[in-house]
């Protein structure tokens, strides 16, 4: 796929143009382009540009909302394509996913969920603005292996710690691995709050989830109940 197409994808997000974004995504699928390539090289750079311009006061909340709509339109086309990659795989583990309390950013988390599903994980997405107690209750109900917590705001990042604490309080911490992510989140932060892992993007989240499952299996063998 040409650089022109990737820059048109990027621009469709900056312009907040869902119809164009959707049409470009369909073109990519028709041309046999890997959906993740279209996302990572075309549409996501558009979101980054929007974030930068918003940070510099050159774009405002309605613009950012329009851009999010355009991103959703592209994802509505690419998501089913990504999911197709995962059919016929053995179940890799059960993951509860959500964006932390006070935070309504969902695009990155949805991408993480899609790729985990595509790689055989059974994902239950709790949505946005999710409390630690809600994470813990669902983890118990579904006997989850991993809880994945997204946060996009420096103010809501601290609620990731609340999720770790809620799992501890519910007596589930030893059974459930916690992974955290989101633009302001770092490996250091993950360590500080006692999470088991951090990943910077959706592909790394898949690798992380696999390695957390391996650790879980190893410790289950080492400590039989
Ligand atoms: C789109 C957007 C919105 C949309 C969200 C729409 C939606 N349905 O999601 C809307 C318009 C609603 C919005 C609102 C706000 N936003 Co906003 N938003 C963004 C923007 C431009 C893009 C986010 C995005 O979708 N990125 C694309 C995805 C693919 O990337 P990602 O989210 O980082 O996810 C990847 C990784 O982080 C990782 N990952 C994500 N989650 C997880 C979870 C796990 C477990 C793992 C392992 C990995 C992982 O993998 C993902 C895929 O690769 C960012 C800018 C930015 N650069 O992040 C600002 C940004 C996050 N927003 C910001 C702000 C300030 C706000 C508002 C407070 C604005 C306001 N004045 O009201 C509100 C907050 C509302 C709230 N309570 O949550 C700031 C945050 C500043 C800060 N440091 O705290 C940013 C950075 C913009 C800026 N430069 O100032 N926003």
């Amino acid at each position: 796929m040409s650089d022109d197409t990737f820059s048109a994808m990027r621009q469709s997000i900056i312009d907040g143009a869902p119809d164009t974004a959707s049409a470009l995504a369909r073109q990519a699928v028709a041309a046999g382009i890997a959906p993740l390539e279209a996302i990572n090289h075309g549409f996501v750079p558009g979101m980054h540009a929007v974030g930068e311009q918003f940070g510099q006061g050159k774009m405002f909340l309605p613009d950012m909302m329009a851009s999010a709509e355009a991103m959703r339109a592209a994802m509505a086309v690419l998501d089913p394509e990504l999911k197709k990659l995962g059919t016929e795989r053995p179940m890799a583990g059960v993951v509860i996913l959500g964006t932390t309390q006070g935070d309504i950013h969902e695009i990155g988390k949805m991408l993480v969920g899609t790729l985990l599903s595509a790689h055989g994980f059974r994902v239950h997405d709790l949505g946005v603005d999710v409390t630690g107690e809600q994470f813990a209750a669902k983890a118990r109900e579904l006997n989850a292996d991993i809880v994945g917590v997204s946060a996009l705001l420096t103010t809501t990042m601290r609620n990731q710690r609340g999720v770790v604490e809620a799992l501890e309080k519910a007596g589930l911490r030893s059974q459930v691995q916690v992974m955290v992510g989101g633009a302001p989140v770092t490996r250091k932060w993950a360590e500080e709050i006692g999470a088991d892992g951090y990943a910077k993007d959706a592909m790394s989240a898949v690798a992380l989830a696999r390695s957390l499952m391996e650790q879980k299996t190893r410790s289950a063998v080492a400590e039989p109940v």
Side-chain angles (χ1 to χ4, degrees):
M1 177 158 276
S2 74
D3 285 351
D4 283 355
T5 314
F6 287 137
S7 61
M9 287 171 168
R10 178 177 177 276
Q11 196 58 43
S12 71
I13 300 298
I14 297 172
D15 294 343
D19 292 348
T20 313
S22 167
L24 287 164
R26 283 197 303 273
Q27 270 175 37
V29 173
I33 301 306
L36 202 55
E37 201 177 323
I39 293 170
N40 285 342
H41 298 301
F43 296 111
V44 167
M47 288 312 264
H48 287 153
V50 169
E52 252 167 52
Q53 293 186 24
F54 179 81
Q56 294 162 359
K58 293 183 189 156
M59 264 198 175
F60 302 97
L61 194 56
D63 307 314
M64 201 154 70
M65 287 169 83
S67 296
E69 268 318 301
M71 185 74 194
R72 276 165 171 282
M75 287 304 292
V77 176
L78 298 172
D79 205 72
E81 299 301 317
L82 281 172
K83 284 193 174 130
K84 276 185 206 161
L85 306 171
T87 49
E88 318 281 323
R89 284 176 195 253
M91 215 277 280
V94 176
V95 182
I96 311 291
L97 210 54
T99 303
T100 192
Q101 190 172 12
D103 197 326
I104 61 166
H105 293 86
E106 63 181 348
I107 295 166
K109 174 213 32 126
M110 282 162 64
L111 193 50
V112 170
T114 300
L115 283 200
L116 286 172
S117 306
H119 288 84
F121 286 87
R122 189 169 301 152
V123 178
H124 186 93
D125 190 339
L126 289 172
V128 297
D129 191 18
V130 185
T131 65
E133 290 70 28
Q134 287 170 318
F135 275 106
K138 195 47 88 176
R140 185 189 298 285
E141 181 192 327
L142 299 184
N143 196 15
D145 299 299
I146 299 174
V147 162
V149 193
S150 182
L152 264 284
L153 301 171
T154 42
T155 47
T156 58
M157 253 169 83
R158 70 179 74 127
N159 297 332
Q160 290 180 323
R161 188 197 295 273
V163 177
V164 176
E165 288 169 357
L167 288 168
E168 270 162 14
K169 207 168 157 198
L172 295 169
R173 189 66 186 93
S174 58
Q175 292 140 251
V176 182
Q177 305 273 25
V178 180
M179 62 180 191
V180 292
V185 179
T186 59
R187 190 172 308 284
K188 187 168 172 284
W189 171 249
E191 282 165 13
E192 201 177 314
I193 64 173
D196 301 295
Y198 152 81
K200 68 172 183 0
D201 59 30
M203 252 345 264
S204 332
V206 173
L208 171 63
R210 283 183 172 150
S211 108
L212 292 176
M213 287 306 295
E214 273 169 27
Q215 281 173 32
K216 205 180 167 202
T217 315
R218 269 202 306 272
S219 63
V221 172
E223 299 163 34
V225 271

